[in-house]
Amino acid sequence: LAGRRFTTLVAMFEIAPQPGLFDMMKQLGEAGGRVIWFGPPPVIDGKGKNCLDRWNALFGVDYSPSIHMGQMAAGKVITFRNSFKSIPSQNILTEFLVDRVYPVKIDKGSELLADVDGLSIGSVKKTGKGAFYFMGFRPRDDQSESLGYETGTMFSILAQVGAYPQTGKFKEVNDNTEFISRTTDYFTTRFPNGTTVIVRHYKTHRENWLDGFSRNDSIDAVALGENPLPTDQISLQDFKVNGHDISFTGTLITALNTDASGELIAFEGHDCKQVKVDGKLYKLSDVNQPTIVWVQANAEEQTSINAVQKVFVVGSGKVNIPIHPGLSSIKVTSDSTGDEKPAEISFTRKGTIITLDINAKTSGKWLYICKQ
């Protein structure tokens, strides 16, 4: 879809699915994908036609609708069974419509995965390499311990069915960014160009901001005094994510990208002096620098000034930047502002490392590494 490949489809409270949805689900499941249906089974589709028989056949269950649309189960506990037995049980909080459960009879060949008070409300039907999962309830997933404890039922189900595949670079380690974000102190993301970004995750911080439609610094200061934000310190030691093994100490955020040979071609770090990526140590400075960034030049910079990379450092002293090994003759220029012309910046070079002397004139400016 839209130029991307998907392996897992989740339907949430689809009471009147559009025609064609079952066709897509069937195609995905039979091709080796995973289809997960949460909440009420559909009786009619978006055109008003009966679709329950087809839905039953697709998911390998028999649901008998009633005028009550499910059953109230407030206070009861969902228990997971068989291949889902490692998933923690879930309490049902309310009698509201979204919290009702939908018991089914499970067809021969399907597997029971969840029940509540003796009623079957979860199952799976395998089909070739794919599978159709029915979960007749609302999976809680607060991600923030908003009730004083964390409930991650949806995440646990998706992880169990394999919706967060690891890269395979590390044996028995799931380095998927979504999986890492739910199981560690860090929020990690990946981008189509290969970049990996890591920040400290504040998901469990109990917010106590006052109500209102705008921020007030003095009132916010009181709230923060009573409930300080967690540390922004990043301390990674052999941290495995998105196919990389990273060791790094800094604050706020770190981002990196490598080329096909594994060389570091882009980086962002704060209050840092080095980073180790996939076994290679990059000594960026002898002292911590407030900000060190380098990325590849964009198309306009490549054309207008023959730039290959650009560097942004806030700090002072000598900073080491790795460059592409194929670059022979280079120069470094500063960014121009207004009528000011780009100035050539002195540097030293040793192999694929150039050393810049950052001072008041170059700190906080983009510097361009250009072909000569």
Side-chain angles (χ1 to χ4, degrees):
L1 295 176
R4 296 185 180 276
R5 180 177 177 270
F6 296 85
T7 61
T8 306
L9 174 64
V10 176
M12 295 291 296
F13 210 82
E14 288 287 338
I15 58 174
Q18 292 301 309
L21 178 61
F22 293 166
D23 291 333
M24 182 175 70
M25 287 179 165
K26 187 173 186 294
Q27 182 182 4
L28 175 62
E30 292 179 348
R34 295 164 287 266
V35 179
I36 309 175
W37 188 284
F38 287 106
V43 177
I44 59 173
D45 64 18
K47 297 293 185 181
K49 295 183 179 180
N50 188 297
C51 66
L52 181 57
D53 289 344
R54 190 176 181 197
W55 182 90
N56 279 333
L58 192 64
F59 287 89
V61 298
D62 182 10
Y63 173 68
S64 298
S66 71
I67 61 172
H68 303 293
M69 193 174 179
Q71 296 187 22
M72 289 186 290
K76 294 184 179 181
V77 178
I78 299 171
T79 302
F80 294 94
R81 307 292 184 184
N82 299 316
S83 58
F84 272 22
K85 64 182 179 181
S86 62
I87 297 177
S89 60
Q90 176 191 304
N91 295 326
I92 299 174
L93 296 183
T94 76
E95 74 280 6
F96 298 155
L97 179 62
V98 293
D99 271 336
R100 292 184 183 180
V101 298
Y102 302 88
V104 295
K105 293 179 181 178
I106 298 177
D107 291 350
K108 184 179 180 180
S110 294
E111 179 187 10
L112 173 70
L113 295 180
D115 58 35
V116 60
D117 199 18
L119 301 174
S120 301
I121 60 169
S123 64
V124 60
K125 184 185 83 171
K126 299 289 181 66
T127 171
K129 294 182 179 180
F132 295 88
Y133 295 86
F134 167 61
M135 297 284 123
F137 59 92
R138 177 174 70 111
R140 289 173 51 203
D141 207 305
D142 55 26
Q143 304 184 39
S144 60
E145 299 184 7
S146 56
L147 294 177
Y149 60 92
E150 182 177 4
T151 298
T153 304
M154 173 170 272
F155 168 74
S156 296
I157 290 172
L158 292 176
Q160 184 66 39
V161 306
Y164 305 116
Q166 60 248 51
T167 64
K169 295 280 186 70
F170 312 104
K171 187 177 180 180
E172 298 181 354
V173 174
N174 192 335
D175 59 347
N176 183 286
T177 50
E178 283 90 347
F179 187 87
I180 291 295
S181 296
R182 288 300 301 272
T183 56
T184 73
D185 293 331
Y186 298 95
F187 180 80
T188 61
T189 54
R190 62 187 185 273
F191 292 83
N193 70 350
T195 298
T196 303
V197 180
I198 306 169
V199 299
R200 193 80 182 195
H201 207 327
Y202 291 169
K203 63 178 181 174
T204 59
H205 182 65
R206 299 292 293 271
E207 298 183 22
N208 65 329
W209 313 112
L210 294 181
D211 295 336
F213 294 98
S214 62
R215 300 258 52 89
N216 181 299
D217 289 344
S218 59
I219 295 177
D220 286 352
V222 174
L224 287 171
E226 297 173 348
N227 184 27
L229 288 173
T231 179
D232 63 358
Q233 182 76 25
I234 298 175
S235 182
L236 310 175
Q237 184 63 42
D238 298 324
F239 188 79
K240 295 172 177 59
V241 60
N242 199 28
H244 296 294
D245 188 330
I246 303 167
S247 295
F248 172 80
T249 300
T251 61
L252 296 175
I253 183 174
T254 186
L256 58 91
N257 199 358
T258 58
D259 62 14
S261 67
E263 291 296 320
L264 194 60
I265 58 172
F267 172 79
E268 176 178 348
H270 301 269
D271 299 308
C272 64
K273 62 181 180 180
Q274 65 183 34
V275 61
K276 187 178 181 181
V277 182
D278 301 329
K280 184 172 181 178
L281 180 63
Y282 297 84
K283 294 184 177 181
L284 308 177
S285 181
D286 290 333
V287 297
N288 283 348
Q289 301 289 349
T291 299
I292 302 176
V293 178
W294 76 84
V295 294
Q296 294 175 301
N298 61 38
E300 181 182 349
E301 294 158 348
Q302 292 174 25
T303 302
S304 60
I305 60 175
N306 223 18
V308 179
Q309 291 174 240
K310 55 184 179 181
V311 180
F312 185 88
V313 178
V314 175
S316 62
K318 296 186 183 302
V319 175
N320 307 313
I321 305 295
I323 62 173
H324 193 279
L327 291 176
S328 55
S329 181
I330 62 171
K331 66 178 180 179
V332 179
T333 65
S334 65
D335 199 2
S336 60
T337 55
D339 296 331
E340 180 185 345
K341 293 182 179 180
E344 195 159 327
I345 306 298
S346 61
F347 66 94
T348 59
R349 176 176 179 174
K350 186 176 182 180
T352 59
I353 302 294
I354 66 167
T355 300
L356 302 169
D357 193 358
I358 302 300
N359 52 43
K361 290 185 178 181
T362 53
S363 176
K365 274 190 173 183
W366 281 107
L367 307 177
Y368 297 90
I369 301 171
C370 308
K371 292 180 182 178
Q372 279 191 314

